[in-house]
Amino acid sequence: MNYLLNHAIDRSAERFAERTAFRFLDESLSYAELVERANKLAWTLAGEGIGRGDRVGIFLHKSIESPVAVYGIMKAGAVYVPLDPAAPVSRLRTTIQHCGIRCLITHAQKQQDTLDLLGAETPLECIIGLGAVDHPGIRAFGWDSLESAPGESAPNPGVIGQDLAYIMYTSGSTGIPKGIMHSHASALSYARMAAQTYGINHNDRLSNHSPLHFDMSTLDYFSGPLCGAATVIIPEAYTKLPVSLAKLIESERLSVWYSVPFALIQLLLHGLVEERNFENLRWVLFGGEPFPPKHLHALRKLWPQAGFSNVYGPAEVNQCTYYNIPDDEPESDMPLPIGKIWANAQGLVVDEKDQPVVRGEPGELIVRTPTMMRGYWQQPELNEQAFCQRKSAGGVPDVYYRTGDLVQEMSDGVLMFLGRKDRQIKTRGYRVELDEVESVLAAHATVEEAAAYLVAAGLDTASIQGAVILKSGQDEVDSEALRQHCARHLPWYALPESILLLESFPRTSSGKIDRRTLQGHAIERERSEIEL
Amino acid sequence: MKAAIKNYVVEELLSGRDIGDKDDLLLSGLVDSLGVMRLVSYLEQQYSLKIPPQDVTIENFVNIETISLYLAGRVGA
């Protein structure tokens, strides 16, 4: 049987028991070891009353325990919810509350941060990964104590393909993060499609550059095990030190790379890659935001043996298009297409009334595919808006996901990405709703009105800037205090790089804040700074 | 030297959050690869030396302790 994500490691353990499933620096787990440890965790969770549909949080830095947590939770029948280990406490507490997380998996490195999450109102009852927790109503189990649980087989929680496998939280425009729910069926469907599209096999060694709470991690965590390949987890520190990262790619003989363009640009510019041997690298996959063409061309010259593929798809559908750069594609400054809708997905480019546009006209991309999410956790209004129903011959409507992305279909069926319908932006591949940044700024007691906008002048990635008008008589507050306020509520990648204190905002004729003008001013300032 | 480096890291990179000398500096989301580059140019300026790219590695930059050991070696040499 092969209808749940966790079946993949069981099948690969039957075929390749001794082959490496996951690596983290000097530590490795073979498929047999991964299955055994995941079974032990699953029984421990089952003993705590965790079963089908229960949400279990993962609060780990990247580590060899990460795949054990992911697969152990699913083997217990539960739904894994990866939490950003660097997110502010208030945001983590909100997610734990919103998602009703009773059990959290962590490790000693996160001891203090985990204790900070516990409060009087917490739904948490059980912490796995800490030997003891001095807090009323909390049971704790160290990783060592799992050893006594049975490892030969897993519990049978009766999960079916349509049940949830994971929930990933992302920026929400109202200020409350939204949880994207994926079922085993949608995620497995994606893992298979990606594996087939890129011909992943058991000799491959995949990078895991993305953290678990970032949706790009699913290719590394699911397509790899599905094919019996090895997935090499790249520690956070290496992702910030390109010279060390380049050494790791070489010594781990990685064959499939997948990351945001930003990581590849850092490697190119600061990784001393010309001194390294990347001969095993056969695929360079990238997505999450546009790749500046000049850097991409430089990388293609450095690694002529590798295929380069622009991967596109909102986390809500995992992936739905790709563009493999032809070997003979000439160098140009034109933006890279996102490619054609891939097999097993249908895409339509529609106008404001959901009617398909004439080919070549811009419109919103809507997608129907088995890799699509079930919806957002406990967000009925958002779920109303997220999907679009279209009549079908049989009388039961077809359901499409509205990507919110504006695209244009070229004569050969290839799609070009034009921009967003709303105020969602990408920075270093992370999705941020500018409305959320504004609502956090506006929530500060001294702030009358706030605006947030994107600035990208000469940098390799865009940065967010904010501007506020203070309430009268509040001149004691400075932008550093506002920055610290943001750092308590927003993830690091959503923090405004600078916050201006203004007397008034430019306005449109209808009196709305004219963010475009604010943005224009900011870009001019950046330019003049660069010229200085 | 260690205290000066720590002061810069805490104030400029971590928005005032304290960190131990042996804590992994790069686990914090607040220090990204651009933050590392800012730190490198600050150190170059402060100690009037050039830090070559091949020295900006995990061994030298994982925490405040290793950074000060690296710099002590460079300054003393």
Side-chain angles (χ1 to χ4, degrees), chain B residues 52-71:
Chain B
Q54 61 267 24
D55 286 1
V56 187
T57 57
I58 195 100
E59 293 78 11
N60 294 334
F61 278 80
V62 69
N63 58 39
I64 290 171
E65 174 118 353
T66 59
I67 298 172
S68 13
L69 281 174
Y70 166 73
L71 281 176

Side-chain angles (χ1 to χ4, degrees), chain A residues 61 86 109 236-241 243-244 247 262 266 270 272 428 461 480 483-484 487 492 495, chain B residues 15-17 24-34 36-37 53-54 56-59 61-62:
Chain A
H61 286 300
Q109 224 177 352
E236 280 92 341
Y238 282 75
T239 65
K240 300 169 184 178
L241 295 165
V243 170
S244 295
K247 269 189 214 167
F262 182 70
Q266 294 297 311
H270 308 290
L272 303 174
R428 283 157 280 194
T461 188
E480 182 52 33
R483 233 190 86 80
Q484 292 190 8
W492 59 273
L495 294 179
Chain B
S15 306
R17 272 190 226 180
D24 189 333
L25 181 61
L26 302 161
L27 278 181
S28 161
L30 292 171
V31 185
D32 62 2
S33 48
L34 302 176
V36 172
M37 277 187 266
Q54 61 267 24
V56 187
T57 57
I58 195 100
E59 293 78 11
F61 278 80
V62 69

Side-chain angles (χ1 to χ4, degrees), chain A residues 29 42 54 60 95 98 101 148 216 243 263 269 275 281 286 324 346 359 436 449 451 476 484 505 528:
Chain A
L29 283 175
D54 290 324
L60 293 169
T95 304
H98 183 253
I101 293 174
S148 54
M216 285 167 78
V243 170
L269 299 180
E275 294 172 12
L281 198 59
F286 52 89
N324 292 350
Q346 187 197 356
R359 179 184 277 195
E436 177 175 14
E449 242 184 316
E476 308 258 300
Q484 292 190 8
F505 283 144
S528 57

